[in-house]
Amino acid sequence: MAESNSSDLIEVVHHEHDHLLKLFEDIGDTFEKISSGELDKARREEVLETASDDLKLALEEMLHHFNQEEEVFFVEIEKRRPDLADDIASLASAHELMCDRTRWLHRQLNQSRDTIADRSDEIQKVVKQMRNLLGQHTTNENRLFDSVLENMPPEERELLLAEMRRI
């Protein structure tokens, strides 16, 4: 994960969320190039390889980031605010869905070029859904984290940040 050098937990969380959003914007742009039909065969192969690499990187970074959230932040937030348990469960569920969709997208790139072309509309639809899902998820998480973390003493946020960085 692209790690921010900030020492403030809220800034780090926002930075990582922005990074994941940017990754999926880039992935979406790549898939638009692939499905547009305007790339020659050599360029298309290069773009497909880039898309595969980007999806692999996105999945690795999401898994790492989601693990940090689920093992550090969600646990701490639920201890402090048990009334937010349903919200936290919903966010964790969204993590699973985003990872599953990212894996599905990556699997599509292992198909024949004809199969990729035949599934182009479906792939584009899933990429668009992922971008929207990640955007909405980020908004919901930032709202939750900000409301809880802003009320936490700075020294406690520093401890959580250190714990997050150990994972």
Side-chain angles (χ1 to χ4, degrees):
M1 173 56 68
E3 193 170 296
S4 173
N5 289 328
S6 175
S7 62
D8 184 75
L9 182 59
I10 296 171
E11 288 178 28
V12 170
V13 168
H14 283 274
H15 172 79
E16 289 190 359
H17 287 165
D18 290 346
H19 175 71
L20 287 173
L21 284 169
K22 176 69 173 123
L23 267 176
F24 266 92
E25 284 176 21
D26 291 348
I27 289 166
D29 292 345
T30 300
F31 274 101
E32 285 174 17
K33 287 179 189 173
I34 292 167
S35 66
S36 71
E38 64 189 54
L39 301 174
D40 64 34
K41 187 176 180 175
R43 179 73 178 122
R44 184 181 165 149
E45 291 300 316
E46 182 182 319
V47 170
L48 283 169
E49 188 174 319
T50 298
S52 180
D53 291 345
D54 288 349
L55 283 168
K56 184 178 176 184
L57 175 66
L59 182 60
E60 289 171 2
E61 292 195 4
M62 283 190 309
L63 287 169
H64 181 253
H65 176 73
F66 295 162
N67 187 47
Q68 289 174 323
E69 288 179 342
E70 291 173 15
E71 289 189 20
V72 178
F73 303 132
F74 290 177
V75 171
E76 188 62 33
I77 289 170
E78 206 165 342
K79 272 196 279 185
R80 292 170 181 269
R81 298 278 313 272
D83 60 304
L84 296 174
D86 289 343
D87 294 334
I88 291 168
S90 177
L91 292 171
S93 235
H95 288 172
E96 290 178 37
L97 177 61
M98 288 186 284
C99 288
D100 286 346
R101 292 225 173 127
T102 302
R103 288 181 188 102
W104 182 87
L105 287 167
H106 193 259
R107 282 193 307 271
Q108 301 316 298
L109 296 181
N110 293 325
Q111 306 293 323
S112 72
R113 298 309 177 227
D114 289 339
T115 301
I116 293 171
D118 291 344
R119 292 185 179 167
S120 177
D121 289 343
E122 182 182 10
I123 291 169
Q124 277 295 101
K125 183 179 174 183
V126 172
V127 169
K128 185 176 181 178
Q129 288 172 345
M130 269 298 296
R131 289 166 88 172
N132 292 338
L133 179 61
L134 189 58
Q136 186 60 49
H137 177 77
T138 296
T139 298
N140 293 340
E141 255 186 13
N142 284 346
R143 189 178 303 125
L144 175 77
F145 288 164
D146 290 355
S147 70
V148 174
L149 297 177
E150 285 177 356
N151 293 315
M152 186 181 291
E155 57 278 359
E156 288 181 37
R157 286 201 312 257
E158 288 175 31
L159 291 171
L160 281 178
L161 179 60
E163 187 175 341
M164 180 195 90
R165 287 183 169 156
R166 277 194 297 273
I167 293 176

